[in-house]
Amino acid sequence: MRRVLAVLAAMPLIFFAAGCGSDDAASGGSTGFKVAGNPGAKPTVTFPSGSPATKSSYEVIQPGSGAEIKTGDKVIVNLTVWDWDGKTNAAQGSSYDTKAPETISVNEQLPQVLQEGFTKVKHGGRLLAVLANDSVPAQQQQQTSPAEPTKVFVFDVVGTQPPALKAATGKETKESIKGVKVENPGGEKAPTLTTKTGEKPPGELVVKTVIEGTGAKVQPNQTLAVHYTGKIWGTDKQFDSSWERGEAAEFPLSGVIQGWQQGLAGVPVGSRVVMSIPPNLGYGDQEQPNIPANSTLVFVVDVLAAY
């Protein structure tokens, strides 16, 4: 199980590396593989004889009958992956075993074969993709020794992630943190966060729901799209704001400070929350740009999507 989870966790990295590689046209058509079973159940694959392929390719196993997939969509898939070494061709993991479908953005960061292949199947379809080292940048190939074996993926398309919200939407709760004020202007306008106060900052993480969304609850292993503003407790000094940049931030929840990881897990999508984060769950005694050491951080956050 640990190996399966480790392989699945590495998938986005594999996709990103491959997406930066060759600009050769994607190769579709027969790959020589035989895939048994129907979408919705873990597939079994019979490999072609001979040496592993050195050129990436894809094959539509079943086209599906649901909605079409377009560039820019975030597709939800069950995936199974093998190492194609021409010997054992060992399975490396499957989301059917972990019971946790993956969400993949169909964009320029994907290998060309997947960018094209996903647009050839519909919801309910099945896609087989061969990712060889031709799609890995030459510089990365030189740094990787020995070369990664050719990967074989079978993707079953479950659905498409809904587009991210533009702003929090739901019922205002009137909740607040003592000493902190959040004003909600309504619509897609940014809230106003005020943190200038003589109140002593809380010693523990405090999270209050300002607007309660109705979406699914955020899971710790998900990637989030959010709008936010961050200020220093007591000074009203702003150090960051995605609203001012005019673009929502997107990141894996597991990759941000502990205060965000703990504070946003379990929050329904569509919510607006205000969080007071003590130094030990923020940046501690490490000074950051515009953030003094040992600062208590205050954020107002709109959770726009989780996938």
Side-chain angles (χ1 to χ4, degrees):
M1 178 60 73
R2 288 182 180 177
R3 178 167 178 77
V4 171
L5 293 174
V7 170
L8 291 177
M11 292 301 103
L13 179 61
I14 293 172
F15 293 157
F16 179 79
C20 298
S22 171
D23 289 329
D24 292 345
S27 175
S30 177
T31 57
F33 286 85
K34 293 181 179 179
V35 182
N38 294 317
K42 186 177 176 180
T44 57
V45 169
T46 301
F47 284 69
S49 59
S51 300
T54 57
K55 183 174 177 59
S56 299
S57 61
Y58 72 88
E59 179 180 356
V60 175
I61 305 301
Q62 293 193 37
S65 58
E68 295 183 351
I69 296 171
K70 306 179 295 298
T71 299
D73 284 349
K74 291 182 171 70
V75 293
I76 303 170
V77 300
N78 274 307
L79 63 83
T80 307
V81 58
W82 294 261
D83 277 349
W84 186 6
D85 60 5
K87 300 174 184 177
T88 61
N89 301 324
Q92 298 299 302
S94 176
S95 63
Y96 281 112
D97 293 336
T98 62
K99 297 182 175 15
E102 298 285 318
T103 302
I104 298 171
S105 297
V106 182
N107 57 28
E108 67 280 355
Q109 291 187 349
L110 281 181
Q112 187 67 29
V113 291
L114 293 183
Q115 291 183 51
E116 182 175 315
F118 274 125
T119 63
K120 304 299 183 184
V121 295
K122 299 178 180 179
H123 292 186
R126 171 168 280 178
L127 178 72
L128 181 142
V130 176
L131 289 186
N133 280 293
D134 66 333
S135 57
V136 178
Q139 180 180 6
Q140 184 169 327
Q141 291 184 31
Q142 294 171 1
Q143 296 172 349
T144 305
S145 181
E148 280 287 316
T150 296
K151 304 284 185 184
V152 176
F153 295 85
V154 172
F155 299 95
D156 289 348
V157 180
V158 176
T160 304
Q161 175 74 23
L165 300 171
K166 298 296 184 181
T169 177
K171 182 180 179 181
E172 290 193 37
T173 66
K174 307 299 183 182
E175 289 189 3
S176 63
I177 298 174
K178 189 176 182 180
V180 174
K181 184 177 181 181
V182 177
E183 295 181 4
N184 300 310
E188 297 177 10
K189 295 180 181 178
T192 301
L193 174 66
T194 303
T195 61
K196 187 171 181 59
T197 177
E199 295 286 342
K200 183 179 179 181
E204 298 181 350
L205 174 69
V206 179
V207 182
K208 296 292 185 180
T209 300
V210 178
I211 296 176
E212 188 171 4
T214 58
K217 292 183 178 180
V218 170
Q219 301 301 311
N221 62 345
Q222 288 184 306
T223 293
L224 304 188
V226 303
H227 261 314
Y228 68 92
T229 293
K231 290 188 173 184
I232 306 296
W233 181 282
T235 68
D236 209 39
K237 178 183 177 182
Q238 180 175 301
F239 55 85
D240 197 7
S241 175
S242 65
W243 273 292
E244 289 193 357
R245 291 194 298 273
E247 184 177 7
E250 193 167 320
F251 52 82
L253 185 56
S254 61
V256 291
I257 59 175
Q258 285 293 315
W260 276 59
Q261 292 184 43
Q262 296 179 25
L264 295 182
V267 172
V269 171
S271 297
R272 174 172 294 164
V273 299
V274 60
M275 301 188 292
S276 173
I277 300 175
N280 65 307
L281 296 180
Y283 297 107
D285 59 3
Q286 300 298 311
E287 182 179 350
Q288 303 292 321
N290 299 315
I291 302 177
N294 298 309
S295 291
T296 294
L297 311 178
V298 183
F299 291 92
V300 58
V301 183
D302 280 12
V303 181
L304 307 176
Y307 56 90

